[in-house]
Amino acid sequence: MSDRESMEYDVVIVGAGPAGLSSAIRLKQLATEAGRDLSVCILEKGSEVGAHILSGAVIDPRSLDELLPDWKEDESCLLHRVPVTSNHHWVLTKKGKFNLPHLMMPSFLDNKGTFTGSLANLTRWLAGKAEELGVEIFPGFAAAEILYAEDGSVRGVATGAMGVARDGSHRSDYQPGMDILAGYTFFAEGAHGHLTKQLVTRFKLDEKSDPQSYSIGIKELWQVKPGNSVPGKIIHTLGWPADYKTYGGSFIYHLDQDRIALGYVSGLDYSDPRYEPYEAFQQLKHHPLIKPMLEGGTIMSAGARAIVTGGYQSLPKVEMPGAVLIGDTAGLLNVPKIKGTHQALRSGMMLAEHLSANKLAPAGWDAALRSSPVMRELHGVRNIKPGFKRGLYFGLANAGWETLTRG
């Protein structure tokens, strides 16, 4: 290993997102039921849990119902305040729009019983529940390096050093990183994690899958004038400002307290060299149907993130000696529904249950995930995103057909 100080746990989880937190909570729940003492640590690169999560999401609560059945009775969980009340899907033209039948977009068919809210707040609440169970969470400590045992298996991670100047010299506040050793390491870094990319290459995890594909999502949270927001109203758009060959669309989630979460997603396989995702987002906000919602409002927060969009065909192998992949790190986002939180929660819980049933041995996790409801959901929508390679109108027709036939 190294001369750095070290700490050792039964399980170390990289990333305090929904997948990492749900796996930690379920591990501790099962250990308590079995009367076992299990040490679990989560490393989070953000300054606090939720700091790197873009707020404003539509969340399917089914996995949360399984993980923490009484969550709706907990007043500190704010998610249940704004149930989805209406769904709209528009194909925008430059000046107007036409409505799509609900059948043509799977995002409509699975919004019953869902909620709009802050994903950052949800993860903070989950972190509190994890700590109540004895999980140790260290925000502000990024996993910078993967540690390997002599036999080549993953042995844990090392945190990055602090107090390093731009030229690489050590400042007066320099602190070396620390080795965080584990029996097993869960990688829940989200999309395009830098450590996950190293693991995929080292263990050839993508040898039997298609290359992963990505989109970029740009999001803003707006405080709008009273009356401009209808809590629970959901709008998704396709079409303008992208041309019919470019995969792109927006989401508009009306929250409580006169807030609107507005975002634009662009597939990074666009071919027009003049297309700029951020510019398209700015154009969208000036569309005659959207501008009135925002007029007189202010931007509360903004950000962008990579989105994993390869789906079923691009799922890598999710287990290797000493480590596993879960959540968006594995690529479990349901792209047509534009939902990944329930998949992340579910995969984390399943992994915990798999390990607990196999004496903390991850062998068989890849097969277990592939035969689970997580993968059945992805399998049913596997051809919808690829259909848009042939253009907007073919993609819409194909989406309707794939929804009817369940893939």
Side-chain angles (χ1 to χ4, degrees):
M1 293 294 173
S2 69
D3 295 329
R4 294 175 294 216
E5 292 185 21
S6 65
M7 299 173 67
E8 186 156 6
Y9 297 86
D10 293 314
V11 173
V12 167
I13 301 168
V14 180
L21 288 165
S22 65
S23 63
I25 290 170
R26 193 70 183 123
L27 276 172
K28 294 295 281 189
Q29 287 173 336
L30 293 170
T32 300
E33 291 172 9
R36 296 197 311 265
D37 184 25
L38 186 73
S39 59
V40 180
C41 164
I42 300 179
L43 298 178
E44 167 55 39
K45 64 184 177 182
S47 58
E48 62 174 346
V49 174
H52 283 200
I53 291 182
L54 291 180
S55 284
V58 173
I59 299 170
D60 181 335
R62 287 177 292 180
S63 300
L64 194 57
D65 291 339
E66 296 174 23
L67 181 65
L68 298 163
D70 60 349
W71 68 272
K72 290 181 184 177
E73 282 70 52
D74 190 333
E75 288 299 320
S76 62
C77 180
L78 306 178
L79 179 63
H80 59 282
R81 290 187 177 181
V82 189
V84 170
T85 56
S86 64
N87 292 280
H88 307 267
H89 201 101
W90 301 343
V91 176
L92 295 180
T93 62
K94 191 169 184 178
K95 299 293 184 181
K97 54 95 174 172
F98 59 88
N99 296 314
L100 276 179
H102 288 192
L103 174 65
M104 297 185 74
M105 286 306 296
S107 58
F108 281 116
L109 305 182
D110 214 38
N111 274 340
K112 185 177 181 180
T114 59
F115 297 82
T116 65
S118 165
L119 188 53
N121 285 341
L122 177 62
T123 56
R124 292 187 190 103
W125 180 77
L126 288 171
K129 295 299 180 183
E131 289 179 323
E132 289 175 9
L133 292 167
V135 178
E136 296 184 35
I137 302 177
F138 298 110
F141 287 86
E145 177 187 349
I146 303 169
L147 304 176
Y148 298 96
E150 290 184 1
D151 63 359
S153 62
V154 175
R155 186 68 177 91
V157 294
T159 62
M162 298 183 179
V164 179
R166 288 186 178 182
D167 62 2
S169 62
H170 295 173
R171 300 196 307 254
S172 58
D173 60 344
Y174 172 77
Q175 292 182 15
M178 180 177 288
D179 291 344
I180 310 296
L181 308 177
Y184 296 102
T185 306
F186 299 179
F187 288 87
E189 295 183 284
H192 210 51
H194 74 292
L195 297 182
T196 301
K197 289 189 289 183
Q198 296 175 32
L199 293 171
V200 168
T201 300
R202 182 184 180 101
F203 293 102
K204 300 180 180 179
L205 302 179
D206 58 351
E207 199 170 34
K208 297 182 179 179
S209 61
D210 285 353
Q212 190 57 266
S213 63
Y214 298 91
S215 296
I216 185 170
I218 305 169
K219 183 186 289 188
E220 292 175 350
L221 180 63
W222 280 72
Q223 184 73 55
V224 299
K225 290 166 56 177
N228 280 14
S229 174
V230 182
K233 183 178 182 179
I234 302 301
I235 302 170
H236 292 105
T237 78
L238 290 171
W240 189 89
D243 62 31
Y244 76 96
K245 294 181 180 179
T246 301
Y247 184 80
S250 78
F251 52 90
I252 305 167
Y253 302 151
H254 289 241
L255 312 177
D256 59 354
Q257 300 175 348
D258 296 310
R259 297 176 301 161
I260 291 177
L262 170 73
Y264 194 79
V265 175
S266 297
L268 293 179
D269 55 355
Y270 60 85
S271 57
D272 182 355
R274 298 166 297 180
Y275 178 77
E276 297 182 12
Y278 182 73
E279 181 181 332
F281 183 41
Q282 300 310 311
Q283 289 177 297
L284 174 82
K285 292 189 292 184
H286 288 83
H287 190 276
L289 294 174
I290 296 173
K291 185 177 180 180
M293 300 180 199
L294 308 177
E295 277 188 320
T298 57
I299 299 173
M300 301 173 64
S301 61
R305 61 160 291 182
I307 301 172
V308 180
T309 54
Y312 180 85
Q313 294 92 329
S314 299
L315 183 80
K317 187 176 181 181
V318 294
E319 69 173 89
M320 67 219 79
V324 294
L325 309 179
I326 50 175
D328 261 5
T329 295
L332 302 181
L333 175 75
N334 185 321
V335 180
K337 292 181 185 176
I338 325 176
K339 292 186 182 70
T341 303
H342 69 294
Q343 292 281 79
L345 289 167
R346 187 183 292 165
S347 68
M349 293 163 54
M350 284 180 48
L351 173 59
E353 291 162 1
H354 177 81
L355 288 180
S356 297
N358 290 278
K359 298 180 180 179
L360 287 185
W365 165 237
D366 186 78
L369 180 65
R370 291 177 190 276
S371 62
S372 73
V374 171
M375 290 309 294
R376 287 197 291 274
E377 181 174 320
L378 293 188
H379 183 267
V381 298
R382 69 195 182 281
N383 293 321
I384 292 180
K385 167 68 164 58
F388 284 92
K389 292 277 190 182
R390 300 191 184 181
L392 174 63
Y393 302 113
F394 180 92
L396 289 173
N398 179 65
W401 172 250
E402 294 290 338
T403 303
L404 266 178
T405 62
R406 297 186 180 274

